[in-house]
Amino acid sequence: MQKILIPVDGSEQALKAVKYASTMLKNGTEGQLHLLNVQEHLDGKIQAYRSLTEIRAMEAAHAEAALNNARQVLEEAAIPYVASKRVGPIAKSIANYAQEEHCDCIIMGTHGRGALANLLLGSIMNKVVHLAQVPVTVVR
């Protein structure tokens, strides 16, 4: 049984990756899906205005919101999954999770939310491809 990691950020492209993996499993591929949302640390000047507890709560709330649509798609399709959240450098956290959880592959969208996010996530996608020790499938 394959372990498939799908990094999600709440974007339409990430949802396409979830649907792609869902279709694979419906078509006979045996696997276990792992959804992962990675939030970058909210640090710097925000610490002057928010406590560490508030910052961690904000990170957790953003992660939950990013996971919601992916969870909904998988639950409607009755596909079991594991959902995880991390805080840290996005590409490195994705590659590390794949290695720690012994995932067989990563399926991810081409880009995320908005023009700046597209630029940054495209960069993240490239970093994941270079850092991951497993195959990475990019869904358009």
Side-chain angles (χ1 to χ4, degrees):
M1 175 163 59
Q2 280 193 333
K3 282 188 175 181
I4 302 167
L5 173 58
I6 308 171
V8 295
D9 63 355
S11 70
E12 186 60 36
Q13 291 299 326
L15 201 54
K16 285 182 180 181
V18 171
K19 290 176 182 176
Y20 177 84
S22 173
T23 301
M24 283 176 48
L25 295 181
K26 285 180 187 177
N27 290 335
T29 301
E30 287 191 35
Q32 178 185 44
L33 295 185
H34 286 251
L35 301 177
L36 175 65
N37 176 266
V38 180
Q39 296 289 312
E40 291 202 82
H41 284 287
L42 294 175
D43 53 6
K45 293 184 180 182
I46 194 169
Q47 291 178 349
Y49 304 101
R50 302 280 186 199
S51 70
L52 187 55
T53 302
E54 289 174 311
I55 292 170
R56 296 300 172 247
M58 288 170 53
E59 291 167 344
H62 290 309
E64 282 299 319
L67 287 164
N68 276 342
N69 288 341
R71 284 181 170 161
Q72 186 176 15
V73 166
L74 296 176
E75 287 169 6
E76 287 174 4
I79 295 175
Y81 64 91
V82 174
S84 300
K85 301 172 271 196
R86 291 207 172 167
V87 177
I90 296 172
K92 186 174 182 178
S93 296
I94 292 168
N96 287 347
Y97 183 95
Q99 185 174 5
E100 291 163 13
E101 295 298 323
H102 307 287
C103 293
D104 297 295
C105 66
I106 300 170
I107 298 175
M108 62 189 301
T110 54
H111 57 274
R113 299 176 166 264
L116 178 59
N118 291 347
L119 176 66
L120 295 176
L121 219 49
S123 173
I124 289 170
M125 181 196 62
N126 287 330
K127 287 179 186 176
V128 170
V129 168
H130 287 94
L131 292 171
Q133 296 180 8
V134 297
V136 178
T137 300
V138 178
V139 179
R140 298 183 88 180

